[in-house]
Amino acid sequence: MKHDQELRTELDARFRYVLIDEYQDTNQAQYALARGLSVDFPNLCVVGDPDQSIYAWRGSDIRNILDFERDFPGTRVLTLTQNYRSTKAILRAASHLIAHNENRKPKDLVTDNPEGCAVIVLTCENSTEEAEGIAKRIRKAVEKGGRRYRDFAVFVRMNALTRGLEAAFVKQRVHYQIVKGLAFFDRKENRDVLAYLRLLLNPRDDLSFLRAVNEPARGIGKVSLEHLRAYAEPRELSLLAAAGQVDKIPAIKGKAATSLRKFAKLMDDLRKYVDAAPDEVISQVLDKSGYREALKESNEEEDQERLANVEELITAARQFAHEDESRTITDFLENVTLASDVDGWDEQQDCVSIMTLHAAKGLEFPVVYMVAVEEGILPHQRSIDSHKKDQIEEERRLAFVGMTRAREELYLCHARLRDFRGSTLYAIPSTFIGELPEDVMRIDQSDGARVAGTMDRWRSGGPAAAEGWLDAGIPSRAEPIPPAHRRKSGEGEQTSESGYGEGLLVRHEKYGVGRILEVHGHGSLRTVKVLFQKGGERSFRVNNVELEIVHED
């Protein structure tokens, strides 16, 4: 249309009235089409919400809707502020969060729905406690009556986070479905790595050989594999054994022959790790096969998700072995059960729905849990590293979308320690939690289900009432409790004369946010040891470094 004015004029005349839904998600090509179809007959109507623009990684451009009045002079704007889904409490929390974005069209959402329960920020000691705590709450709420499993949804920022939830739900006998995605062990990249492991334990597993031999790509074509099979079958050799004898197969030459020879040697080299801890075996497979490096070097968003998934396999194996140190990689493979592929959401199934925040757009549920609301996850580490305001604002919009899927109850969960992508890290509560209004309730489940506030604010009174509500996961008996004041340097900590104390969160210009592990020495020789999310453990002389104390809720 840009280069063919005759075609543009013809189409403009044919489509005299143009209506575009979800306009906040349009890209530049779609914007150009909208412009071209509304020159001679400017009857263009678009519907969209800039606060729900969450697909920049797919090419959508929020400026299309923010600049609409400038691009189409004479536009009449109808602001739709009525919300029919969420309670006042949920709407207030979500609106308070999204108001921190600068690139938006301000609007005050209103609802005739009741006040409802306070939004709850739930703190857990670690990611296992988080997942199992959610599963227990859901199961007990259903057993108590008044809720069905399909009333609940659990949202994650990235697919790799579903693995711990799946394990916890199976353990607690809670029915669930993965919406718009695959169960953790069913994902292509994880099945690739599992094929390596099966081949490692059973060199005669030809199916695993065929899956692993070209992952990552090694330039071994279909014809070469057919020649390999033709050599192996009459000699009753496995394909892996035949690959070790590729020099005896004249039909296979060049890169394919070299790659098959190297693959056979790779599997032979990996065999010496077979008796190591399960997580160590997987880590060695990822590194020595080049699988991890191939994903790291890719700039594709999908490959970065795959990298997170294969690294989460290490966490799965580590946690599995932690329960019984005698467990081997063989035990781990036997324990892996593949869940079925769920292409979409079946609201008729009585199952808890687990999905990414992106997949949740357009859906709604009575009760929503958002897990891992932590720095580096939500907001995503890439948006933090970019230092670009627009990327952080898109992450905030993503959190807003998740929060506004909840009709009656909303839980924002985070942990102090997170086992993720093969490592155990100190987890920092998301910046977005600090941006919530003061009527949001804080509950520290890792400290005896302590409520951040005074217990006399409960209607039914006394610790027993709070304990009963926490156990059931149904907050209908509670009033909102204001959050505890932000901790000042030295409160509840062993602080030094410098103001730094063990356990405090601090921010370093280069390494980001970390937690102080130790404080040593006096005067000019005083040092602090800090564990950073990105930089690991670092020690500093207090007189030679600037560490900003980060106050936790």
Side-chain angles (χ1 to χ4, degrees), residues 463-475:
E467 184 177 341
W469 167 75
L470 288 166
D471 189 47
I474 304 172

Side-chain angles (χ1 to χ4, degrees), residues 352-493:
V352 178
S353 295
I354 302 175
M355 69 191 77
T356 65
L357 285 162
H358 284 99
K361 188 178 176 186
L363 303 180
E364 59 182 67
F365 301 88
V367 186
V368 165
Y369 286 87
M370 289 171 55
V371 303
V373 186
E374 296 157 8
E375 290 292 287
I377 297 180
L378 184 67
H380 197 284
Q381 191 62 48
R382 287 194 299 275
S383 68
I384 297 172
D385 292 342
S386 73
H387 302 293
K388 294 180 179 178
K389 182 176 65 176
D390 60 330
Q391 292 195 24
I392 291 292
E393 292 202 349
E394 174 148 343
E395 291 291 300
R396 191 178 284 109
R397 291 194 295 270
L398 190 58
F400 173 82
V401 166
M403 293 172 70
T404 53
R405 301 309 94 194
R407 294 208 303 260
E408 300 166 20
E409 299 174 32
L410 173 62
Y411 298 82
L412 307 177
C413 310
H414 69 97
R416 290 193 172 91
L417 292 171
R418 184 159 300 279
D419 292 320
F420 187 54
R421 299 181 66 166
S423 301
T424 300
L425 303 171
Y426 277 108
I428 311 301
S430 172
T431 304
F432 302 155
I433 289 179
E435 295 173 352
L436 296 172
E438 291 205 348
D439 60 349
V440 168
M441 192 184 303
R442 268 77 165 176
I443 297 174
D444 191 342
Q445 184 166 278
S446 65
D447 187 20
R450 174 172 56 82
V451 177
T454 56
M455 296 302 294
D456 58 9
R457 295 288 302 274
W458 292 77
R459 283 181 185 162
S460 44
E467 184 177 341
W469 167 75
L470 288 166
D471 189 47
I474 304 172
S476 56
R477 292 159 51 188
E479 287 183 350
I481 299 178
H485 294 294
R486 296 195 171 210
R487 186 174 61 199
K488 303 297 188 295
S489 172
E491 285 184 10
E493 308 287 349

Side-chain angles (χ1 to χ4, degrees), residues 495-509:
T495 55
S496 67
E497 61 203 50
S498 60
Y500 300 130
E502 293 179 10
L504 281 178
L505 288 181
V506 293
R507 181 180 286 108
H508 186 275
E509 182 179 0

Side-chain angles (χ1 to χ4, degrees), residues 221-233 239 242 249-253:
K222 182 179 179 181
V223 174
S224 295
L225 291 174
E226 288 174 353
H227 287 311
L228 187 71
R229 189 187 296 277
Y231 176 84
E233 286 181 350
L239 292 180
I249 312 175
I252 305 176
K253 59 188 76 171

Side-chain angles (χ1 to χ4, degrees), residues 180-245:
K180 298 182 182 178
L182 293 172
F184 181 76
F185 292 111
D186 243 355
R187 292 166 194 159
K188 176 197 175 296
E189 55 276 14
N190 290 338
R191 296 184 73 167
D192 289 344
V193 178
L194 292 174
Y196 272 98
L197 298 177
R198 292 191 175 100
L199 184 61
L200 188 61
L201 296 175
N202 179 13
R204 300 195 65 85
D205 186 343
D206 287 350
L207 286 177
S208 293
F209 173 90
L210 291 171
R211 183 171 193 108
V213 71
N214 252 334
E215 295 291 348
R218 295 185 172 91
I220 305 170
K222 182 179 179 181
V223 174
S224 295
L225 291 174
E226 288 174 353
H227 287 311
L228 187 71
R229 189 187 296 277
Y231 176 84
E233 286 181 350
R235 294 168 176 80
E236 297 184 352
L237 295 174
S238 68
L239 292 180
L240 181 59
Q245 300 178 23

